[in-house]
């Protein structure tokens, strides 16, 4: 009779621990999705330095080479420079005749067992242009994320472009 309250208390503690773990995991998945949404939002406004700041200190961006030459960039500054040249007309921010819309959707996010890292796959379509030239591009992101001092950061972006061409020709 006396052991039952202790057993019930242990069971309740285990349930609370499990619930807290589950909430933390859901929050981790949501944070990864919000991080990628921030990436797309900053890209839309041509804020390439802010995009670069979303990466870990030694983060990398791998452009697979299907459409253009393969490249791997390391560090937030190199990543920001690459994206600025590729999508931003080689300048920070948008000018009156710039277009930079990146739609990243259909995520599949897998959180690690310890909840400190994640992998995600995203579909993307990108509209970018400067002056009289506009392009449409699309592909798949396969990204790695890490919890860095309590903040989710992008560790690796691996981009697999599947198509790229002038907007007017499709």
């Amino acid at each position: 009779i006396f052991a039952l309250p202790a057993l019930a208390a242990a069971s309740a503690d285990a349930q609370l621990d499990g619930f807290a773990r589950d909430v933390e995991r859901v929050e981790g998945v949501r944070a990864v999705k919000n991080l990628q949404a921030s990436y797309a939002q900053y890209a839309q406004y041509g804020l390439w330095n802010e995009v670069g700041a979303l990466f870990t200190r030694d983060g990398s961006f791998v452009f697979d080479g299907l459409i253009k030459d393969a490249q791997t960039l390391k560090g937030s500054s190199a990543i920001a420079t690459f994206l600025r040249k590729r999508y931003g007309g080689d300048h920070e921010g948008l000018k009156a005749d710039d277009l930079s819309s990146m739609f990243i959707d259909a995520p599949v996010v897998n959180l690690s067992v310890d909840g400190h890292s994640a992998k995600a796959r995203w579909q993307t379509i990108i509209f970018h242009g400067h002056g009289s030239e506009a392009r449409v591009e699309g592909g798949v992101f396969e990204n790695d994320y890490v919890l860095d001092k309590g903040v989710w950061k992008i560790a690796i972006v691996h981009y697999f472009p599947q198509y790229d061409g002038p907007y007017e020709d499709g």
Side-chain angles (χ1 to χ4, degrees):
I1 296 174
F2 296 107
L4 289 177
L7 183 59
S11 177
D13 287 345
Q15 287 177 339
L16 285 175
D17 288 346
F19 180 70
R21 182 195 66 240
D22 292 347
V23 167
E24 187 175 291
R25 294 180 64 75
V26 168
E27 287 175 346
V29 169
R30 182 178 297 136
V32 166
K33 289 179 179 180
N34 287 339
L35 177 59
Q36 197 65 42
S38 294
Y39 177 109
Q41 186 74 28
Y42 289 144
Q44 182 165 337
Y45 291 103
L47 301 174
W48 307 110
N49 289 330
E50 281 80 355
V51 172
L54 298 174
F55 285 77
T56 61
R57 191 169 42 90
D58 60 344
S60 62
F61 186 104
V62 181
F63 193 84
D64 88 331
L66 181 65
I67 304 280
K68 303 281 185 182
D69 292 338
Q71 294 185 43
T72 299
L73 298 305
K74 286 235 175 244
S76 60
S77 179
I79 292 166
T81 299
F82 170 77
L83 295 173
R84 186 180 304 109
K85 285 181 181 177
R86 174 132 177 92
Y87 300 110
D90 208 14
H91 58 271
E92 193 75 9
L94 293 180
K95 291 185 178 178
D97 61 354
D98 283 352
L99 170 66
S100 182
S101 292
M102 183 179 294
F103 301 93
I104 302 174
D105 204 7
V108 176
V109 179
N110 293 298
L111 201 61
S112 66
V113 173
D114 67 6
H116 294 192
S117 63
K119 291 184 176 288
R121 183 179 174 102
W122 307 82
Q123 299 286 333
T124 188
I125 185 168
I126 305 165
F127 298 95
H128 55 101
H130 311 285
S132 63
E133 181 184 318
R135 303 188 66 75
V136 62
E137 175 181 334
V140 174
F141 283 107
E142 291 184 358
N143 299 349
D144 293 353
Y145 306 85
V146 295
L147 191 56
D148 183 19
K149 298 176 187 164
V151 177
W152 282 96
K153 296 274 192 169
I154 302 169
I156 301 170
V157 165
H158 197 148
Y159 179 51
F160 298 92
Q162 296 172 326
Y163 55 89
D164 181 16
Y167 177 75
E168 58 193 30
D169 297 340

